[in-house]
Amino acid sequence: MPQNEHIELFQKRYGFRMDYQERQRKKKAREHKLQSKMAQKLIGIKGKIFAKKRYSEKVQLKRTIKAHEEKKTKKKEDGKVPEGAMPAYLLDRENTSQAKLLSSMVKQKRKEKAGKWDVPLPKVRAQSEAEVFRVLKTGKSRRKGWKRLVTKVCFVGEGFTRKPPKYERFVRPMALRFKKAHVTHPELKATFCLPIVGVKKNPSSPMYTSLGVITKGTIIEVNVSELGLVTQGGKVVWGKYAQVTNNPENDGCINAILLV
Amino acid sequence: MAALSNFLEIVIVPTAKDFIDIVLSKTQRKTPTVVHKQYKISRIRQFYMRKVKFSQQTFHDKLSTILTDFPKLDDIHPFYADLMNVLYDKDHYKLALGQINIALHLIDNVSKDYVRLLKYGDSLYRCKQLKKAALGRMATIMKRQAQSLQYLEQVRQHLSRLPSIDPNTRTLLICGFPNVGKSSFINKITRADVEVQPYAFTTKSLFVGHTDHRYLRWQVVDTPGILDHPLEDRNTIEMQAIAALAHLRAAILYVMDISEQCGHTIEQQVALFESIKPLFANKPLLVVLNKTDVIRLEELKPEQKSLIQGFINDDIPVMEMSTLSEEGVMNVKTEACERLLSHRIEVKIKSKKVEGILNRLHVALPKPRDGVTRPAFVPETVIKQRLVKEPKIKKKTERDLEVELEDDYSLDLKKNYDLPADFKYDVIPEFWEGKNIADYIDPDIMAKLEELEREEELRIESGVYEKEEEEMDDEEKEIHRLAGKIREKKAIIAIESRIGRSGGAPVMPRAGRKRERSVSRLRSEFEELGVDMSNKGGAHFSRTKSRSASRPPIKKARADSAGRVSSSSRVTPRDQSGIRDVELKAKAKKMGHKAQGKMNQFGKAGEADRHIAVKMPRHLYSGKRGIGKTDRR
């Protein structure tokens, strides 16, 4: 019965075949043929996967070749100027001119009027009612169409109870109610799964805000006590705003960026 | 032994990347692939939900087979549990399996959530995105298990190569310092080919071999050497030996090297013995002194001898052997086996199961015929020889010669010929002076040939070789003749049928062909065979009554060239075949017409036409329920 390292023992005692090394060498030399055959013959999904893998391999190869070539040739180092550096003869000047100040003021006024805020996603596509709601036909002969089913992801608070079903106009299905969001801290580049406290503002319509509908670009408030942030005064920060960056109804999860 | 076979049957654990590839490609192959956005939304949803569920099921199945196949350390024999702990670290093993279990539950949860979400997908794009997210999530969970999967695969490979040690059968366990000769001993008594090398810790794990004694199979387990330090300092290799010592109920052979070639003195070896003595409790023990070809027990220094004497004083048997010269090896094995056997019998007797066995055992001895003892007879010379105790001269074999000469060796079969030296290697020719040498090999060959020829002549004369002609009587002759005739006739028929099969010509259906089997043909054929057919008027084959009464009488019997009457050339028409008289024929005709009438009325093409032109004629399915119009639906 072959026990423990019987393969290595056999190789130690009897060595390899006489042509073992040659066969290994030849097999390796034939590998490029197999690769090209596969690349030509594979079709469909397998072909795509193979092509992708091969592409990344080729990128690596090209990088190593380039690195080798760089060693061989000598290049002139073009002097990299760090950002924000100014030539010596401009050092003592005041940079912002009068005109610039005026124009920046005008721009800010315009921004306030238009309602664009300093958020990661300043402009979002407006969601029409037809997109967000779906008509739910009720009644014995299914003719009454005053109920609406929310098709987007929404947040209802804790202790939420529905209105009596007969009078409920907006139906928010349980499957589309989310309590947690994946929030990314923009500077730390780390993502946390934090509970949602509430929906602050939905850019498409205030009605959506009151219903708690979460679409791309919505500002939500999240519970950041997990992160352990502390204010200057020593108080613990437990709620912060975050903006949703994906389409939650397509992905099944809410991804957001923390607004710091 | 069942445990060991389980170790070999563990399913292969793929790497994380391969795992994902397998499941995703299986999903792609086994679920429908085509969906369009104009399908009903329920159909689109079902399509994508099926994919998510299928992936989840496949992941679940594969992960749960991994979890069930790997042995649970609590369910296997404690020897194997301990061995696996030593080799693979119990905590790491349990953790890896635990991680796989967690991954399993996570994947189930992901699938549940996304199937719930899919129910509210209202477009193909949305459903597709949700399915992509679900599958992606499951794949990410598997990617995180890469380390556990890799570890489990390594464990599985190592497990499959473990020696199959049965913890319950008769076992001899060999232990001692490294390099004392344990592996050489096991190589000598079993067929296990354990590596023997001059450096310490050549044997790095347990090896098992099997040997026979008293028609029973005995397991011999070889352990790696143990050094003398406390248990906490022991490394993995030594711990395997300790695990075997602790859990196997076996006879222990403690091997010592009295020549001290292993690098440790006899004092050190005895010290080791004392330190592992607790492991020898309740086990038959045997101290074996190895390498006696270098130095014998008598030649030892008195201090060392006293240590060994200490063993004898403690009632532990001490034996000498040398694995190199093979003296005493068999004695050691026999002694160890005997001790273990008696120990096991003792244990069995003390247990309760014995009574059941003892009741059924009965040793029957033959009744002595008379009072004369008849011992085994050994000739005097043999006894004298045995007493002399000459060392056996080992004959030098060809293999030894080959090993000695290495490259210069060539097989020489002529060297043992019984000829004088100058003739031994001569080449024998085949012919000489025009004569075959093979004919003259034997000096008496001519005489032998003559004798043979004479004998042969005698035999021929006496008629040994003559074949007896069988005398056939009349019956047999007749049978032979007939058989010949039959054979001939068969051949003719075969040829005729082959000729008859002319290629390509359209063949009439069987009913339309000339009636082959007719009375006239019967008559002619039997007459050919020699049967008298003259007065067969009342025979069954002759037509006594005309079959159909309505057939018009034949004007003249039309005979063909062979003289056969062709009254049978016309076939009975279908509406007359099977009908015995005119009334029945009329009735059959009427029935036929009646059945057709209804079909014709509804314009049916035939009996099998079941087409309904109007499935719901309005006059039947509408209107108030009247007197009786609607009950004829």
Side-chain angles (χ1 to χ4, degrees), chain A residues 1 3-4 9 12-13 45 151 173 175-176 182 249-252, chain B residues 28 114 125-126 129-130 161 163-164 193 195 205-208:
Chain A
M1 144 188 56
Q3 298 180 58
N4 302 316
L9 189 62
K12 191 172 166 187
R13 281 186 185 162
I45 188 78
T151 60
L176 292 173
H182 306 306
E249 69 275 3
N250 285 348
D251 298 331
Chain B
Q28 198 230 351
Y114 276 87
Y125 177 74
R126 198 157 146 191
Q129 293 298 94
L130 284 170
R161 282 185 277 122
S164 52
D193 219 352
E195 213 190 338
S205 48
L206 302 173
F207 282 86
V208 73

PDB file of all heavy atoms in Angstrom, chain A residues 1 3-4 9 12-13 45 151 173 175-176 182 249-252, chain B residues 28 114 125-126 129-130 161 163-164 193 195 205-208:
ATOM      1  N   MET A   1       0.868  -1.193   0.000  1.00  0.00           N
ATOM      2  CA  MET A   1       0.000   0.000   0.000  1.00  0.00           C
ATOM      3  C   MET A   1       0.895   1.229   0.000  1.00  0.00           C
ATOM      4  O   MET A   1       1.815   1.309   0.796  1.00  0.00           O
ATOM      5  CB  MET A   1      -0.875  -0.090   1.258  1.00  0.00           C
ATOM      6  CG  MET A   1      -1.163   1.239   1.899  1.00  0.00           C
ATOM      7  SD  MET A   1      -1.977   1.116   3.448  1.00  0.00           S
ATOM      8  CE  MET A   1      -0.923   0.099   4.401  1.00  0.00           C
ATOM      9  N   GLN A   3       2.365   4.462   0.995  1.00  0.00           N
ATOM     10  CA  GLN A   3       2.216   5.197   2.240  1.00  0.00           C
ATOM     11  C   GLN A   3       2.979   6.491   2.193  1.00  0.00           C
ATOM     12  O   GLN A   3       4.072   6.556   1.665  1.00  0.00           O
ATOM     13  CB  GLN A   3       2.791   4.357   3.392  1.00  0.00           C
ATOM     14  CG  GLN A   3       2.066   3.064   3.590  1.00  0.00           C
ATOM     15  CD  GLN A   3       2.667   2.296   4.729  1.00  0.00           C
ATOM     16  OE1 GLN A   3       2.715   2.793   5.836  1.00  0.00           O
ATOM     17  NE2 GLN A   3       3.143   1.124   4.451  1.00  0.00           N
ATOM     18  N   ASN A   4       2.430   7.507   2.791  1.00  0.00           N
ATOM     19  CA  ASN A   4       3.091   8.800   2.976  1.00  0.00           C
ATOM     20  C   ASN A   4       3.732   9.294   1.681  1.00  0.00           C
ATOM     21  O   ASN A   4       3.096   9.298   0.652  1.00  0.00           O
ATOM     22  CB  ASN A   4       4.066   8.697   4.139  1.00  0.00           C
ATOM     23  CG  ASN A   4       3.367   8.278   5.403  1.00  0.00           C
ATOM     24  OD1 ASN A   4       2.310   8.762   5.727  1.00  0.00           O
ATOM     25  ND2 ASN A   4       3.943   7.334   6.110  1.00  0.00           N
ATOM     26  N   LEU A   9       9.693   9.128  -2.670  1.00  0.00           N
ATOM     27  CA  LEU A   9      10.608   8.032  -2.370  1.00  0.00           C
ATOM     28  C   LEU A   9      10.987   7.275  -3.637  1.00  0.00           C
ATOM     29  O   LEU A   9      12.154   6.935  -3.857  1.00  0.00           O
ATOM     30  CB  LEU A   9       9.941   7.094  -1.359  1.00  0.00           C
ATOM     31  CG  LEU A   9      10.822   6.005  -0.770  1.00  0.00           C
ATOM     32  CD1 LEU A   9      11.953   6.626  -0.003  1.00  0.00           C
ATOM     33  CD2 LEU A   9      10.006   5.118   0.147  1.00  0.00           C
ATOM     34  N   LYS A  12      13.327   9.240  -5.627  1.00  0.00           N
ATOM     35  CA  LYS A  12      14.672   9.249  -5.038  1.00  0.00           C
ATOM     36  C   LYS A  12      15.401   7.953  -5.355  1.00  0.00           C
ATOM     37  O   LYS A  12      16.593   7.969  -5.653  1.00  0.00           O
ATOM     38  CB  LYS A  12      14.510   9.416  -3.531  1.00  0.00           C
ATOM     39  CG  LYS A  12      15.767   9.703  -2.790  1.00  0.00           C
ATOM     40  CD  LYS A  12      15.410  10.049  -1.351  1.00  0.00           C
ATOM     41  CE  LYS A  12      16.645  10.018  -0.485  1.00  0.00           C
ATOM     42  NZ  LYS A  12      16.315  10.170   0.917  1.00  0.00           N
ATOM     43  N   ARG A  13      14.657   6.840  -5.286  1.00  0.00           N
ATOM     44  CA  ARG A  13      15.330   5.550  -5.469  1.00  0.00           C
ATOM     45  C   ARG A  13      15.615   5.247  -6.924  1.00  0.00           C
ATOM     46  O   ARG A  13      16.678   4.765  -7.269  1.00  0.00           O
ATOM     47  CB  ARG A  13      14.426   4.435  -4.937  1.00  0.00           C
ATOM     48  CG  ARG A  13      14.469   4.309  -3.474  1.00  0.00           C
ATOM     49  CD  ARG A  13      13.682   3.121  -3.060  1.00  0.00           C
ATOM     50  NE  ARG A  13      13.626   3.049  -1.620  1.00  0.00           N
ATOM     51  CZ  ARG A  13      12.747   2.344  -0.950  1.00  0.00           C
ATOM     52  NH1 ARG A  13      11.828   1.675  -1.600  1.00  0.00           N
ATOM     53  NH2 ARG A  13      12.765   2.315   0.349  1.00  0.00           N
ATOM     54  N   ILE A  45     -19.288  32.257 -24.277  1.00  0.00           N
ATOM     55  CA  ILE A  45     -18.885  32.808 -22.982  1.00  0.00           C
ATOM     56  C   ILE A  45     -17.474  32.352 -22.610  1.00  0.00           C
ATOM     57  O   ILE A  45     -16.666  33.121 -22.048  1.00  0.00           O
ATOM     58  CB  ILE A  45     -19.925  32.427 -21.890  1.00  0.00           C
ATOM     59  CG1 ILE A  45     -19.630  33.150 -20.593  1.00  0.00           C
ATOM     60  CG2 ILE A  45     -19.939  30.942 -21.644  1.00  0.00           C
ATOM     61  CD1 ILE A  45     -20.054  34.555 -20.586  1.00  0.00           C
ATOM     62  N   THR A 151     -42.078  51.460  -6.882  1.00  0.00           N
ATOM     63  CA  THR A 151     -41.188  50.472  -7.507  1.00  0.00           C
ATOM     64  C   THR A 151     -39.732  50.684  -7.128  1.00  0.00           C
ATOM     65  O   THR A 151     -38.868  49.897  -7.492  1.00  0.00           O
ATOM     66  CB  THR A 151     -41.276  50.541  -9.038  1.00  0.00           C
ATOM     67  OG1 THR A 151     -40.877  51.868  -9.434  1.00  0.00           O
ATOM     68  CG2 THR A 151     -42.671  50.266  -9.506  1.00  0.00           C
ATOM     69  N   PRO A 173     -43.827  47.992  -0.735  1.00  0.00           N
ATOM     70  CA  PRO A 173     -43.677  46.562  -0.427  1.00  0.00           C
ATOM     71  C   PRO A 173     -42.501  46.312   0.514  1.00  0.00           C
ATOM     72  O   PRO A 173     -41.500  47.017   0.498  1.00  0.00           O
ATOM     73  CB  PRO A 173     -43.427  45.900  -1.792  1.00  0.00           C
ATOM     74  CG  PRO A 173     -42.999  46.997  -2.680  1.00  0.00           C
ATOM     75  CD  PRO A 173     -43.559  48.264  -2.160  1.00  0.00           C
ATOM     76  N   ALA A 175     -40.386  43.956   0.547  1.00  0.00           N
ATOM     77  CA  ALA A 175     -39.132  43.525  -0.080  1.00  0.00           C
ATOM     78  C   ALA A 175     -38.269  44.704  -0.453  1.00  0.00           C
ATOM     79  O   ALA A 175     -37.047  44.603  -0.522  1.00  0.00           O
ATOM     80  CB  ALA A 175     -39.423  42.691  -1.309  1.00  0.00           C
ATOM     81  N   LEU A 176     -38.887  45.858  -0.690  1.00  0.00           N
ATOM     82  CA  LEU A 176     -38.125  47.017  -1.138  1.00  0.00           C
ATOM     83  C   LEU A 176     -37.808  47.958   0.013  1.00  0.00           C
ATOM     84  O   LEU A 176     -37.428  49.095  -0.216  1.00  0.00           O
ATOM     85  CB  LEU A 176     -38.911  47.766  -2.226  1.00  0.00           C
ATOM     86  CG  LEU A 176     -39.051  46.984  -3.525  1.00  0.00           C
ATOM     87  CD1 LEU A 176     -39.974  47.714  -4.469  1.00  0.00           C
ATOM     88  CD2 LEU A 176     -37.721  46.787  -4.188  1.00  0.00           C
ATOM     89  N   HIS A 182     -24.496  50.887   2.498  1.00  0.00           N
ATOM     90  CA  HIS A 182     -23.028  50.751   2.481  1.00  0.00           C
ATOM     91  C   HIS A 182     -22.459  52.130   2.233  1.00  0.00           C
ATOM     92  O   HIS A 182     -22.546  52.652   1.129  1.00  0.00           O
ATOM     93  CB  HIS A 182     -22.588  49.818   1.355  1.00  0.00           C
ATOM     94  CG  HIS A 182     -23.253  48.482   1.387  1.00  0.00           C
ATOM     95  ND1 HIS A 182     -23.240  47.677   2.485  1.00  0.00           N
ATOM     96  CD2 HIS A 182     -23.954  47.815   0.445  1.00  0.00           C
ATOM     97  CE1 HIS A 182     -23.906  46.565   2.226  1.00  0.00           C
ATOM     98  NE2 HIS A 182     -24.352  46.622   0.998  1.00  0.00           N
ATOM     99  N   GLU A 249     -32.537  49.946  -6.764  1.00  0.00           N
ATOM    100  CA  GLU A 249     -33.512  48.953  -7.216  1.00  0.00           C
ATOM    101  C   GLU A 249     -32.889  47.989  -8.215  1.00  0.00           C
ATOM    102  O   GLU A 249     -33.377  46.871  -8.398  1.00  0.00           O
ATOM    103  CB  GLU A 249     -34.740  49.624  -7.831  1.00  0.00           C
ATOM    104  CG  GLU A 249     -34.498  50.318  -9.137  1.00  0.00           C
ATOM    105  CD  GLU A 249     -33.974  51.731  -8.955  1.00  0.00           C
ATOM    106  OE1 GLU A 249     -33.762  52.132  -7.797  1.00  0.00           O
ATOM    107  OE2 GLU A 249     -33.783  52.412  -9.969  1.00  0.00           O
ATOM    108  N   ASN A 250     -31.785  48.395  -8.858  1.00  0.00           N
ATOM    109  CA  ASN A 250     -31.106  47.491  -9.787  1.00  0.00           C
ATOM    110  C   ASN A 250     -30.060  46.628  -9.113  1.00  0.00           C
ATOM    111  O   ASN A 250     -29.746  45.551  -9.583  1.00  0.00           O
ATOM    112  CB  ASN A 250     -30.435  48.298 -10.899  1.00  0.00           C
ATOM    113  CG  ASN A 250     -31.446  48.820 -11.890  1.00  0.00           C
ATOM    114  OD1 ASN A 250     -32.595  48.410 -11.871  1.00  0.00           O
ATOM    115  ND2 ASN A 250     -31.023  49.736 -12.729  1.00  0.00           N
ATOM    116  N   ASP A 251     -29.488  47.103  -8.023  1.00  0.00           N
ATOM    117  CA  ASP A 251     -28.392  46.380  -7.393  1.00  0.00           C
ATOM    118  C   ASP A 251     -28.798  45.647  -6.137  1.00  0.00           C
ATOM    119  O   ASP A 251     -28.052  44.819  -5.649  1.00  0.00           O
ATOM    120  CB  ASP A 251     -27.252  47.336  -7.043  1.00  0.00           C
ATOM    121  CG  ASP A 251     -26.684  47.987  -8.282  1.00  0.00           C
ATOM    122  OD1 ASP A 251     -26.759  47.348  -9.340  1.00  0.00           O
ATOM    123  OD2 ASP A 251     -26.170  49.111  -8.176  1.00  0.00           O
ATOM    124  N   GLY A 252     -29.942  45.992  -5.584  1.00  0.00           N
ATOM    125  CA  GLY A 252     -30.353  45.310  -4.368  1.00  0.00           C
ATOM    126  C   GLY A 252     -29.658  45.791  -3.120  1.00  0.00           C
ATOM    127  O   GLY A 252     -29.754  45.163  -2.078  1.00  0.00           O
TER     128      GLY A 252
ATOM    129  N   GLN B  28     -25.036  28.550 -16.359  1.00  0.00           N
ATOM    130  CA  GLN B  28     -25.260  28.973 -17.736  1.00  0.00           C
ATOM    131  C   GLN B  28     -25.718  27.822 -18.611  1.00  0.00           C
ATOM    132  O   GLN B  28     -26.516  28.000 -19.514  1.00  0.00           O
ATOM    133  CB  GLN B  28     -23.959  29.569 -18.260  1.00  0.00           C
ATOM    134  CG  GLN B  28     -24.145  30.415 -19.481  1.00  0.00           C
ATOM    135  CD  GLN B  28     -23.185  30.046 -20.573  1.00  0.00           C
ATOM    136  OE1 GLN B  28     -22.279  29.268 -20.374  1.00  0.00           O
ATOM    137  NE2 GLN B  28     -23.398  30.603 -21.733  1.00  0.00           N
ATOM    138  N   TYR B 114     -32.389  38.351  -2.772  1.00  0.00           N
ATOM    139  CA  TYR B 114     -32.499  38.809  -4.144  1.00  0.00           C
ATOM    140  C   TYR B 114     -33.696  38.215  -4.852  1.00  0.00           C
ATOM    141  O   TYR B 114     -34.267  38.837  -5.745  1.00  0.00           O
ATOM    142  CB  TYR B 114     -31.182  38.555  -4.899  1.00  0.00           C
ATOM    143  CG  TYR B 114     -30.200  39.665  -4.651  1.00  0.00           C
ATOM    144  CD1 TYR B 114     -29.353  39.636  -3.575  1.00  0.00           C
ATOM    145  CD2 TYR B 114     -30.187  40.771  -5.482  1.00  0.00           C
ATOM    146  CE1 TYR B 114     -28.488  40.675  -3.325  1.00  0.00           C
ATOM    147  CE2 TYR B 114     -29.328  41.809  -5.249  1.00  0.00           C
ATOM    148  CZ  TYR B 114     -28.473  41.766  -4.158  1.00  0.00           C
ATOM    149  OH  TYR B 114     -27.623  42.804  -3.910  1.00  0.00           O
ATOM    150  N   TYR B 125     -34.364  44.887 -17.841  1.00  0.00           N
ATOM    151  CA  TYR B 125     -33.083  45.453 -17.414  1.00  0.00           C
ATOM    152  C   TYR B 125     -32.927  45.346 -15.911  1.00  0.00           C
ATOM    153  O   TYR B 125     -31.885  44.947 -15.393  1.00  0.00           O
ATOM    154  CB  TYR B 125     -33.002  46.913 -17.865  1.00  0.00           C
ATOM    155  CG  TYR B 125     -31.759  47.592 -17.418  1.00  0.00           C
ATOM    156  CD1 TYR B 125     -30.544  47.307 -18.039  1.00  0.00           C
ATOM    157  CD2 TYR B 125     -31.769  48.505 -16.374  1.00  0.00           C
ATOM    158  CE1 TYR B 125     -29.388  47.910 -17.618  1.00  0.00           C
ATOM    159  CE2 TYR B 125     -30.614  49.120 -15.960  1.00  0.00           C
ATOM    160  CZ  TYR B 125     -29.427  48.820 -16.588  1.00  0.00           C
ATOM    161  OH  TYR B 125     -28.282  49.414 -16.161  1.00  0.00           O
ATOM    162  N   ARG B 126     -33.995  45.695 -15.197  1.00  0.00           N
ATOM    163  CA  ARG B 126     -33.889  45.674 -13.745  1.00  0.00           C
ATOM    164  C   ARG B 126     -33.693  44.255 -13.209  1.00  0.00           C
ATOM    165  O   ARG B 126     -32.850  44.026 -12.339  1.00  0.00           O
ATOM    166  CB  ARG B 126     -35.173  46.265 -13.166  1.00  0.00           C
ATOM    167  CG  ARG B 126     -35.008  46.682 -11.757  1.00  0.00           C
ATOM    168  CD  ARG B 126     -36.009  47.697 -11.382  1.00  0.00           C
ATOM    169  NE  ARG B 126     -36.363  47.509  -9.993  1.00  0.00           N
ATOM    170  CZ  ARG B 126     -37.368  48.095  -9.391  1.00  0.00           C
ATOM    171  NH1 ARG B 126     -38.134  48.905 -10.056  1.00  0.00           N
ATOM    172  NH2 ARG B 126     -37.609  47.863  -8.124  1.00  0.00           N
ATOM    173  N   GLN B 129     -30.167  43.166 -13.876  1.00  0.00           N
ATOM    174  CA  GLN B 129     -29.204  43.765 -12.961  1.00  0.00           C
ATOM    175  C   GLN B 129     -29.256  43.096 -11.593  1.00  0.00           C
ATOM    176  O   GLN B 129     -28.232  42.862 -10.956  1.00  0.00           O
ATOM    177  CB  GLN B 129     -29.474  45.258 -12.793  1.00  0.00           C
ATOM    178  CG  GLN B 129     -29.224  46.087 -14.027  1.00  0.00           C
ATOM    179  CD  GLN B 129     -27.789  46.043 -14.461  1.00  0.00           C
ATOM    180  OE1 GLN B 129     -27.399  45.234 -15.294  1.00  0.00           O
ATOM    181  NE2 GLN B 129     -26.988  46.905 -13.895  1.00  0.00           N
ATOM    182  N   LEU B 130     -30.455  42.788 -11.145  1.00  0.00           N
ATOM    183  CA  LEU B 130     -30.581  42.146  -9.835  1.00  0.00           C
ATOM    184  C   LEU B 130     -29.956  40.762  -9.832  1.00  0.00           C
ATOM    185  O   LEU B 130     -29.270  40.377  -8.873  1.00  0.00           O
ATOM    186  CB  LEU B 130     -32.056  42.050  -9.439  1.00  0.00           C
ATOM    187  CG  LEU B 130     -32.663  43.364  -8.970  1.00  0.00           C
ATOM    188  CD1 LEU B 130     -34.153  43.232  -8.837  1.00  0.00           C
ATOM    189  CD2 LEU B 130     -32.071  43.772  -7.634  1.00  0.00           C
ATOM    190  N   ARG B 161      -3.158   9.870   1.803  1.00  0.00           N
ATOM    191  CA  ARG B 161      -1.905   9.113   1.754  1.00  0.00           C
ATOM    192  C   ARG B 161      -1.508   8.540   3.105  1.00  0.00           C
ATOM    193  O   ARG B 161      -0.448   7.948   3.222  1.00  0.00           O
ATOM    194  CB  ARG B 161      -0.777  10.013   1.234  1.00  0.00           C
ATOM    195  CG  ARG B 161      -0.816  10.178  -0.268  1.00  0.00           C
ATOM    196  CD  ARG B 161       0.352  10.958  -0.784  1.00  0.00           C
ATOM    197  NE  ARG B 161       0.127  12.370  -0.678  1.00  0.00           N
ATOM    198  CZ  ARG B 161       0.911  13.196  -0.012  1.00  0.00           C
ATOM    199  NH1 ARG B 161       1.971  12.740   0.616  1.00  0.00           N
ATOM    200  NH2 ARG B 161       0.636  14.474   0.045  1.00  0.00           N
ATOM    201  N   PRO B 163      -1.214   5.966   6.079  1.00  0.00           N
ATOM    202  CA  PRO B 163      -1.266   4.507   6.066  1.00  0.00           C
ATOM    203  C   PRO B 163      -2.523   4.018   6.769  1.00  0.00           C
ATOM    204  O   PRO B 163      -2.963   4.612   7.743  1.00  0.00           O
ATOM    205  CB  PRO B 163      -0.018   4.101   6.847  1.00  0.00           C
ATOM    206  CG  PRO B 163       0.315   5.261   7.669  1.00  0.00           C
ATOM    207  CD  PRO B 163      -0.129   6.468   6.925  1.00  0.00           C
ATOM    208  N   SER B 164      -3.092   2.936   6.263  1.00  0.00           N
ATOM    209  CA  SER B 164      -4.350   2.467   6.839  1.00  0.00           C
ATOM    210  C   SER B 164      -4.042   1.549   8.019  1.00  0.00           C
ATOM    211  O   SER B 164      -3.749   0.371   7.856  1.00  0.00           O
ATOM    212  CB  SER B 164      -5.180   1.736   5.791  1.00  0.00           C
ATOM    213  OG  SER B 164      -4.403   0.738   5.177  1.00  0.00           O
ATOM    214  N   ASP B 193       8.452  -1.150   2.493  1.00  0.00           N
ATOM    215  CA  ASP B 193       9.741  -0.692   2.008  1.00  0.00           C
ATOM    216  C   ASP B 193      10.030   0.676   2.597  1.00  0.00           C
ATOM    217  O   ASP B 193       9.921   1.684   1.907  1.00  0.00           O
ATOM    218  CB  ASP B 193       9.654  -0.611   0.482  1.00  0.00           C
ATOM    219  CG  ASP B 193      10.946  -1.073  -0.145  1.00  0.00           C
ATOM    220  OD1 ASP B 193      11.912  -1.302   0.617  1.00  0.00           O
ATOM    221  OD2 ASP B 193      10.985  -1.190  -1.371  1.00  0.00           O
ATOM    222  N   GLU B 195      12.221   3.715   4.061  1.00  0.00           N
ATOM    223  CA  GLU B 195      13.544   4.225   3.719  1.00  0.00           C
ATOM    224  C   GLU B 195      14.474   4.106   4.918  1.00  0.00           C
ATOM    225  O   GLU B 195      14.113   4.469   6.028  1.00  0.00           O
ATOM    226  CB  GLU B 195      13.402   5.684   3.326  1.00  0.00           C
ATOM    227  CG  GLU B 195      14.386   6.117   2.270  1.00  0.00           C
ATOM    228  CD  GLU B 195      14.363   7.606   2.095  1.00  0.00           C
ATOM    229  OE1 GLU B 195      13.354   8.222   2.452  1.00  0.00           O
ATOM    230  OE2 GLU B 195      15.367   8.145   1.634  1.00  0.00           O
ATOM    231  N   SER B 205       7.093   9.811   9.475  1.00  0.00           N
ATOM    232  CA  SER B 205       5.687   9.596   9.826  1.00  0.00           C
ATOM    233  C   SER B 205       5.498   8.108  10.065  1.00  0.00           C
ATOM    234  O   SER B 205       6.438   7.328   9.930  1.00  0.00           O
ATOM    235  CB  SER B 205       4.769  10.090   8.727  1.00  0.00           C
ATOM    236  OG  SER B 205       5.204   9.605   7.502  1.00  0.00           O
ATOM    237  N   LEU B 206       4.287   7.712  10.395  1.00  0.00           N
ATOM    238  CA  LEU B 206       4.031   6.312  10.704  1.00  0.00           C
ATOM    239  C   LEU B 206       3.982   5.487   9.428  1.00  0.00           C
ATOM    240  O   LEU B 206       3.442   5.924   8.430  1.00  0.00           O
ATOM    241  CB  LEU B 206       2.687   6.181  11.419  1.00  0.00           C
ATOM    242  CG  LEU B 206       2.551   6.986  12.705  1.00  0.00           C
ATOM    243  CD1 LEU B 206       1.141   6.909  13.203  1.00  0.00           C
ATOM    244  CD2 LEU B 206       3.493   6.433  13.752  1.00  0.00           C
ATOM    245  N   PHE B 207       4.576   4.291   9.504  1.00  0.00           N
ATOM    246  CA  PHE B 207       4.488   3.361   8.395  1.00  0.00           C
ATOM    247  C   PHE B 207       3.903   2.059   8.914  1.00  0.00           C
ATOM    248  O   PHE B 207       4.132   1.683  10.052  1.00  0.00           O
ATOM    249  CB  PHE B 207       5.875   3.086   7.803  1.00  0.00           C
ATOM    250  CG  PHE B 207       6.353   4.190   6.918  1.00  0.00           C
ATOM    251  CD1 PHE B 207       7.010   5.276   7.444  1.00  0.00           C
ATOM    252  CD2 PHE B 207       6.138   4.137   5.561  1.00  0.00           C
ATOM    253  CE1 PHE B 207       7.452   6.299   6.631  1.00  0.00           C
ATOM    254  CE2 PHE B 207       6.574   5.155   4.731  1.00  0.00           C
ATOM    255  CZ  PHE B 207       7.230   6.240   5.272  1.00  0.00           C
ATOM    256  N   VAL B 208       3.176   1.370   8.066  1.00  0.00           N
ATOM    257  CA  VAL B 208       2.568   0.125   8.517  1.00  0.00           C
ATOM    258  C   VAL B 208       2.967  -1.000   7.568  1.00  0.00           C
ATOM    259  O   VAL B 208       3.098  -0.788   6.361  1.00  0.00           O
ATOM    260  CB  VAL B 208       1.034   0.279   8.624  1.00  0.00           C
ATOM    261  CG1 VAL B 208       0.390   0.314   7.266  1.00  0.00           C
ATOM    262  CG2 VAL B 208       0.447  -0.801   9.467  1.00  0.00           C
TER     263      VAL B 208
END
